């Protein structure tokens, strides 16, 4: 049988039904302020995170080079310096390095990138203002694309970039670009790490977007110290069949989702083991007003795991949820058959509600 974790308003309710193969005994916990921790005896099934969660978010990315200085590139679409490249895609296609490091030196960058080679890529910025201070590079596309970055079979790290959607002409019509998502992942070997990046939509009363990230299938996604705001769309992060997801110290503000949740939606239909670790994040005014009594619709986070063999690990700790609104779940909805670790601790809930409630 499926166990269901429902977090609505300021209370946490965990319901588990008896099942012959269930790893967690049947129980009901109703907590309003004390942390909830359930950790069964199957310690051998614990999945250890591959990333060091203590790494500071302000660090710039460094990737070891195959040959010193030969795998480090600068990219500018305005420079005439012969040592500076104009295209990230061309570097990826032509480099013989297995690991490369790229610095964006312009204040704005316009390019769509497809990464299908098995390699490690780190993209950081070296853009500066008039006071010679480092500033985020704005990355957007001025033509119609489905994604800005399509990732397969590669390790990609992005740091200090402000990604934007734009309105462009396509076949005589004004449309949003990218139409689907900023990032699209479609391979079991895809690994994406995003640090200190900014994602912003068109505002709550303006044009809808798709998602910031859409993972059709991937190995690991990590968002560290990123901000997501002013978004109306499918949801901010739409994650399917990802083995490991990490969100640390991120802010999700003023987001209206159209599919299951506002900020983050996970769905796993495969039998792989999965880990979800969300810690130190702020969720304010995240909502999903989709009306469907057959579905559990939540304002901030919605996680659905459909198979017992996944042995999922859930860690949702030290987060802040304020004024989140769901159709029938206020903040969080988690569905699973069994869980090897279910950890919900030290979260703060303030003013969250369901659509049918006035409280």
């Amino acid at each position: 049988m499926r166990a269901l974790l429902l977090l609505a308003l300021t209370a946490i309710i965990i319901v588990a039904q008896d099942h012959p193969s269930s790893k967690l005994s049947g129980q009901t916990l109703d907590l309003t302020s004390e942390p909830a921790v359930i950790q069964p005896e199957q310690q051998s099934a614990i999945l250890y995170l591959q990333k060091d969660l203590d790494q500071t978010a302000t660090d710039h990315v460094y990737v070891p080079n195959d040959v010193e200085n030969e795998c480090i590139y600068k990219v500018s679409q305005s420079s005439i310096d012969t040592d500076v490249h104009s295209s990230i895609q061309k570097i990826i296609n032509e480099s013989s390095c297995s690991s490369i490091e790229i610095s964006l030196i312009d204040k704005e960058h316009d390019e769509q990138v497809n990464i299908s080679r098995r390699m490690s890529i780190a993209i950081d910025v070296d853009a500066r203002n008039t006071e010679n201070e480092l500033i985020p590079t704005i990355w957007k596309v001025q033509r119609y694309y489905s994604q800005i970055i399509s990732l397969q079979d590669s390790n990609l790290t992005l740091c200090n970039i402000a990604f934007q959607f734009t309105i462009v002409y396509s076949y005589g019509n004004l449309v949003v670009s990218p139409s689907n998502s900023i990032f699209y992942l479609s391979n079991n070997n895809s690994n994406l790490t995003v640090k200190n990046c900014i994602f912003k939509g068109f505002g709550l009363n303006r044009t809808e977007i798709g998602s910031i990230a859409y993972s059709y299938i991937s190995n690991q996604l990590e968002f560290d110290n990123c901000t997501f705001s002013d978004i109306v769309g499918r949801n901010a992060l739409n994650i399917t069949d990802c083995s490991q997801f990490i969100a640390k110290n991120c802010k999700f503000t003023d987001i209206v989702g159209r599919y299951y949740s506002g900020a983050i939606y996970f769905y796993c239909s495969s039998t792989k083991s999965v880990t979800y670790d969300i810690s130190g994040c702020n969720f304010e005014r995240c909502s999903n007003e989709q009306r469907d009594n057959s579905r559990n619709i939540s304002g901030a986070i919605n996680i659905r795991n459909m198979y017992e063999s996944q042995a999922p690990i859930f860690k949702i700790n030290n987060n802040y949820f304020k004024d989140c609104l769901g159709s029938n779940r206020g903040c969080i909805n988690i569905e699973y058959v069994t869980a090897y670790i279910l950890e919900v601790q030290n979260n703060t809930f303030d003013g969250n509600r369901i659509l049918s409630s006035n409280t």
Side-chain angles (χ1 to χ4, degrees), residues 225-236:
N225 198 40
C226 295
T227 63
F228 306 80
S229 65
D230 298 320
I231 294 171
V232 178
R234 185 178 178 88
N235 28 53

Side-chain angles (χ1 to χ4, degrees), residues 36 277-281 315-319 343-347:
D277 191 335
I278 303 171
S279 61
C281 296
K315 294 183 179 181
I316 302 177
N317 301 319
N318 304 302
N319 301 290
E343 187 177 286
V344 182
Q345 299 185 104
N346 303 320
N347 297 288

Side-chain angles (χ1 to χ4, degrees), residues 46-62:
I46 295 177
L47 303 180
Y48 293 96
L49 302 182
Q50 298 173 355
K51 291 286 184 181
D52 179 4
L53 297 184
D54 293 328
Q55 182 176 354
T56 59
T58 57
D59 289 345
H60 281 246
V61 178
Y62 174 75

Side-chain angles (χ1 to χ4, degrees), residues 48-308:
Y48 293 96
L49 302 182
Q50 298 173 355
K51 291 286 184 181
D52 179 4
L53 297 184
D54 293 328
Q55 182 176 354
T56 59
T58 57
D59 289 345
H60 281 246
V61 178
Y62 174 75
V63 176
N65 299 311
D66 297 350
V67 180
E68 186 175 2
N69 296 327
E70 290 188 1
C71 301
I72 300 176
Y73 303 90
K74 292 183 178 181
V75 171
S76 169
Q77 295 174 329
S78 60
S79 175
I80 59 174
D81 191 329
T82 56
D83 294 329
V84 176
H85 299 258
S86 62
S87 169
I88 295 172
Q89 186 70 65
K90 188 174 181 180
I91 293 171
I92 293 170
N93 293 345
E94 297 179 357
S95 176
S96 60
C97 302
S98 60
S99 296
I100 61 176
E101 183 178 350
I102 297 173
S103 293
L104 302 177
I105 61 177
D106 288 343
K107 295 179 181 179
E108 293 190 7
H109 187 75
D110 176 6
E111 185 176 8
Q112 196 269 346
V113 177
N114 293 301
I115 306 172
S116 57
R117 291 180 55 189
R118 179 165 291 186
M119 63 192 308
S120 294
I121 304 164
I123 302 177
D124 206 334
V125 304
D126 195 21
R128 297 179 181 272
N129 60 18
T130 54
E131 285 75 34
N132 201 36
E133 298 169 328
L134 280 172
I135 58 173
T137 290
I138 297 172
W139 189 341
K140 57 187 178 182
V141 288
Q142 299 289 4
R143 298 175 61 187
Y144 177 74
Y145 294 101
S146 294
Q147 304 90 26
I148 291 182
I149 298 175
S150 178
L151 182 64
Q152 304 176 51
D153 206 24
S154 306
N155 302 318
L156 175 63
T157 300
L158 300 163
C159 194
N160 301 311
I161 300 171
F163 288 93
Q164 291 186 1
F165 292 84
T166 56
I167 304 294
V168 301
Y169 274 101
S170 178
Y171 297 101
N173 297 313
L174 286 172
V175 295
V176 174
S177 184
S179 60
N180 183 37
S181 56
I182 301 289
F183 310 120
Y184 176 66
L185 295 88
S186 58
N187 189 289
N188 261 324
N189 296 317
S190 300
N191 297 284
L192 174 64
T193 301
V194 184
K195 298 184 178 183
N196 309 320
C197 288
I198 301 168
F199 304 94
K200 193 170 184 178
F202 294 104
L204 297 184
N205 297 316
R206 299 185 64 185
T207 305
E208 289 193 20
I209 64 171
S211 297
I212 301 301
Y214 174 38
S215 166
Y216 176 73
I217 186 170
S218 57
N219 181 50
Q220 178 174 306
L221 277 77
E222 179 177 351
F223 291 88
D224 188 351
N225 198 40
C226 295
T227 63
F228 306 80
S229 65
D230 298 320
I231 294 171
V232 178
R234 185 178 178 88
N235 28 53
L237 302 177
N238 187 34
I239 313 300
T240 302
D241 290 338
C242 176
S243 298
Q244 188 173 75
F245 176 87
I246 303 167
K248 299 187 302 178
N249 306 315
C250 293
K251 294 182 179 180
F252 299 83
T253 309
D254 294 321
I255 299 174
V256 177
R258 303 300 193 198
Y259 191 72
Y260 278 102
S261 72
I264 305 175
Y265 173 63
F266 302 100
Y267 178 78
C268 195
S269 60
S270 68
T271 57
K272 65 169 70 175
S273 296
V274 294
T275 298
Y276 307 111
D277 191 335
I278 303 171
S279 61
C281 296
N282 281 20
F283 298 86
E284 296 190 46
R285 297 181 298 280
C286 297
S287 65
N288 188 308
E289 300 180 10
Q290 177 185 5
R291 293 179 179 270
D292 187 342
N293 292 331
S294 66
R295 298 176 178 179
N296 296 319
I297 310 300
S298 56
I301 301 170
N302 201 313
I303 301 175
R304 300 174 65 222
N305 286 78
M306 310 309 293
Y307 293 95
E308 179 179 0

